[in-house]
Amino acid sequence: MPSESDLLSIAQRVVGWAQNGSVIEAFVGHESETEIRAYQGEVESLSSASSQGIGVRVVNEGRTGFAYTAALDDDSVRATYEEALDNCQFSSVDEFAGVASPDGVAPVDLDLYSTELVDYDPADKVVMAIELEKATLAADDRIIGVETAEYADTISVSAVANSAGVEGTSQETGCYLVVYPLASDGTETQTGFGFSVGRHPGELSLQTAASEAAERATRLLGATKGETKRLSVVLDPYVTAQLLGIIGSTLSGEAVLKGRSLFAGRLDSQVAADSVNLVDDPTDARAFSASSTDAEGLATRRVNLINNGVLASFLYDSYNARRASVTSTGSAVRGGYAGTPGVGATALALAAGTRQQSDIIADIDDGFLVQGVVGLHSGVNPVSGDFSAGAEGLRIRNGETAEPVREVTIGSTLQRLLLDVIEVGADVEWLPMGATGVSLAISDVTMSGQ
């Protein structure tokens, strides 16, 4: 595994080739992954792979060229630069084209890399996958089988540099357990999933993954299709995180500039209930998407998006910041060395409330605890805010959870959902995605069923 300094030296060398007024950005990455699947007490599959490469972006007289390669030898890197330079002639002139400029913000020192994972014995990874399957089968008598039990990990190192003087590096480790069981009550079969994530295997919990998987697989046994009515809903933390991901995409400066955001033109306006405080904070090491630098090498930072229900900011990378005549929020993202940077949220989180989910439910006479959604991304219009998604979970009656419900649709608009938030829970869950989970109670949502 190359070090951060090894990759940075490659990026710096490429940047040094800038000529005739052109500017260069070089992004170098190396990643190794392991994935082990267990089935019926045996290893079903085991894969271990590494990838590396460099992406080079050249901006010359307002024209941008890009090229990448999966090789890091001197000849390949030089050829990639030459290809990017040549590609400039095929692009249109864009007055906002360029690379990130230094902004004086120092990166936060984050501990996101674990040598414990790097040195972990592959044989122990196999044991974890097999033991996860066993623990899930033993978690509940109604579990009749496990489709797959999996251990996986990732070790990544990257570096970026540009001819404006911006440089940044990062190294991160992550691993997870995930299991998909089958449950039956003799008349029907349901599926579920459970997981545990960490920076190293010592942070993983077999029992947490197994018990959550069993609970998800069994909780809808005997479920019926709910009626159609308006009621209060409580979103489970995992569902809230999915919803935040949708909202976060509408808070990007690019979406606003393209007229694809329901929040365009609404800065400093009340867009949510007073209890809603939403941030994007990649500097919080508890977030599994945390990073000290963004995809352009600028320091990441905490961005307050909604303060006490008032829209406070959008997210920007350097390009969209120039278009909007603002400064970057250190929110550049990219899929790896083979892509160019864009803008996006990476670690969204709602400020937690003071009560647990059960306490929130106790105040609801007629409601629906939403424990799973389907079609969420396709069911939301980011411009109009129209929201509709399939849902399943438990009815709430007289302050308690009641019968399981499935095959219903919940609908509203994102605008109304945010304004109708009753309470944010205290049950924060750090999840393997770009948003943190927490229970969220919302009034006056339409549940469509029979």
Side-chain angles (χ1 to χ4, degrees):
M1 175 68 67
S3 67
E4 293 173 284
S5 59
D6 292 335
L7 299 188
L8 182 59
S9 66
I10 296 174
Q12 290 170 329
R13 186 167 72 253
V14 175
V15 167
W17 296 335
Q19 56 184 326
N20 299 326
S22 66
V23 293
I24 301 174
E25 175 196 78
F27 181 93
V28 192
H30 186 285
E31 184 172 271
S32 64
E33 299 178 318
T34 299
E35 183 179 277
I36 301 165
R37 293 185 177 182
Y39 182 68
Q40 295 186 347
E42 303 287 341
V43 175
E44 181 182 39
S45 65
L46 188 157
S47 63
S48 181
S50 296
S51 62
Q52 65 179 14
I54 183 171
V56 179
R57 191 160 55 114
V58 178
V59 182
N60 189 20
E61 298 182 345
R63 300 177 186 272
T64 301
F66 176 75
Y68 68 91
T69 180
L72 294 180
D73 61 277
D74 292 343
D75 291 341
S76 297
V77 171
R78 183 73 194 198
T80 302
Y81 160 71
E82 297 288 352
E83 181 181 355
L85 182 61
D86 184 61
N87 286 340
C88 287
Q89 65 182 303
F90 302 109
S91 67
S92 302
V93 173
D94 184 343
E95 63 177 305
F96 302 109
V99 297
S101 299
D103 60 6
V105 179
V108 176
D109 186 16
L110 299 176
D111 184 14
L112 307 176
Y113 187 85
S114 171
T115 56
E116 182 177 335
L117 174 56
V118 176
D119 299 333
Y120 201 65
D121 191 330
D124 292 330
K125 300 177 184 181
V126 170
V127 170
M128 291 188 78
I130 293 174
E131 290 299 316
L132 175 60
E133 182 186 41
K134 291 180 181 178
T136 305
L137 290 169
D140 192 293
D141 291 339
R142 293 168 292 178
I143 301 298
I144 60 173
V146 171
E147 292 183 327
T148 185
E150 180 179 324
Y151 166 90
D153 61 39
T154 301
I155 304 169
S156 62
V157 183
S158 64
V160 60
N162 69 37
S163 48
V166 173
E167 295 181 353
T169 63
S170 67
Q171 57 177 5
E172 299 149 11
T173 59
C175 55
Y176 66 84
L177 296 169
V178 63
V179 59
Y180 299 89
L182 300 171
S184 176
D185 61 0
T187 60
E188 64 173 311
T189 300
Q190 293 288 334
T191 61
F193 71 96
F195 60 87
S196 178
V197 295
R199 295 287 176 192
H200 59 79
E203 294 181 342
L204 300 180
S205 170
L206 288 169
Q207 291 305 316
T208 295
S211 61
E212 289 186 355
E215 195 275 331
R216 285 192 175 98
T218 59
R219 66 191 177 191
L220 290 179
L221 290 171
T224 59
K225 192 171 183 178
E227 69 271 41
T228 296
K229 64 183 308 181
R230 298 184 74 85
L231 41 60
S232 296
V233 301
V234 178
L235 306 184
D236 247 4
Y238 192 81
V239 177
T240 298
Q242 292 175 285
L243 178 63
L244 290 182
I246 298 292
I247 293 172
S249 68
T250 69
L251 290 169
S252 83
E254 181 179 16
V256 172
L257 289 165
K258 290 182 176 180
R260 298 176 182 173
S261 170
L262 59 95
F263 295 110
R266 302 192 65 192
L267 274 178
D268 300 320
S269 299
Q270 191 83 25
V271 298
D274 292 343
S275 60
V276 174
N277 291 277
L278 178 64
V279 302
D280 187 40
D281 188 7
T283 68
D284 190 331
R286 294 173 296 178
F288 290 101
S289 50
S291 178
S292 59
T293 58
D294 74 354
E296 294 181 298
L298 294 178
T300 56
R301 62 212 71 180
R302 177 188 175 97
V303 182
N304 296 317
L305 297 168
I306 300 177
N307 288 333
N308 299 322
V310 176
L311 181 60
S313 180
F314 296 115
L315 299 170
Y316 292 98
D317 62 348
S318 295
Y319 175 75
N320 287 287
R322 283 190 290 270
R323 289 182 62 197
S325 299
V326 297
T327 57
S328 171
T329 57
S331 303
V333 297
R334 72 172 94 200
Y337 66 84
T340 56
V343 58
T346 54
L348 293 165
L350 285 171
T354 59
R355 299 199 301 167
Q356 297 298 314
Q357 185 183 97
S358 59
D359 299 320
I360 296 173
I361 289 174
D363 288 342
I364 298 175
D365 293 328
D366 185 25
F368 181 30
L369 173 60
V370 182
Q371 298 178 309
V373 291
V374 294
L376 184 59
H377 287 268
S378 61
V380 178
N381 185 316
V383 179
S384 69
D386 290 342
F387 171 90
S388 179
E392 61 187 26
L394 304 174
R395 283 286 267 119
I396 300 172
R397 300 185 188 278
N398 300 317
E400 296 181 348
T401 54
E403 73 276 11
V405 173
R406 65 185 178 201
E407 296 181 25
V408 297
T409 300
I410 54 173
S412 183
T413 66
L414 291 179
Q415 296 95 320
R416 288 289 354 144
L417 287 177
L418 289 170
L419 288 168
D420 290 339
V421 168
I422 304 169
E423 187 171 353
V424 181
D427 50 345
V428 176
E429 292 187 12
W430 300 96
L431 301 170
M433 59 178 70
T436 300
V438 65
S439 290
L440 190 66
I442 305 169
S443 66
D444 201 30
V445 177
T446 299
M447 180 180 75
S448 301
Q450 295 178 343

